[in-house]
Amino acid sequence: MRAAMAERIWQTIKRNKTLQYGVPMLLLIIGGSFGLREFTQIRYDAHKRHGKIDPALEEKIKKNKVSLESEYEKLKDAKLDDWKNIRGPRPWEDSKSLQDKQQ
């Protein structure tokens, strides 16, 4: 009797398109979101662990701070008007002879 009842339920499930295709699709979507959450959490935990640097290196970086203003002062005095555009060699050209001609 139990086997017959289980067989009848199984036949009903096989005939019903919602139970055959819809429920597995919903399980895949919902289960996938939980799975992706776990994988992304692993990524963020690994980044947090590897993101820490040595305190001595951190002090060295803070001491050797380069600002935008200091780089501007270096470039302000450079002469940028008298440069020459030199193209690179084509694959079929000899690079050494072309460089010698251009210099």
Side-chain angles (χ1 to χ4, degrees), residues 45-58:
D45 290 343
H47 180 70
K48 191 183 299 183
R49 185 175 50 207
H50 291 296
K52 297 179 180 175
I53 60 173
D54 186 34
L57 180 61
E58 190 173 359

Side-chain angles (χ1 to χ4, degrees), residues 59-68 70-71:
E59 288 296 323
K60 190 174 182 182
I61 290 171
K62 285 182 182 178
K63 190 170 45 172
N64 194 12
K65 197 83 167 180
V66 177
S67 68
L68 187 62
S70 66
E71 289 298 314

Side-chain angles (χ1 to χ4, degrees), residues 6 10 16 18 26-28 35 38 44 47 49 53 63 65 71 74 78 80 83-84 88 90 96 98:
W10 182 250
N16 192 340
T18 302
L26 286 175
L27 288 175
L28 182 68
E38 293 300 321
Y44 291 128
H47 180 70
R49 185 175 50 207
I53 60 173
K63 190 170 45 172
K65 197 83 167 180
E71 289 298 314
K74 288 180 191 175
L80 298 176
W83 61 278
K84 184 178 178 186
R90 303 263 162 63
K96 291 291 182 188
L98 187 66

Side-chain angles (χ1 to χ4, degrees), residues 85-99:
N85 189 13
I86 300 175
R87 74 167 179 85
R90 303 263 162 63
W92 58 86
E93 295 175 337
D94 183 29
S95 64
K96 291 291 182 188
S97 63
L98 187 66
Q99 287 175 1

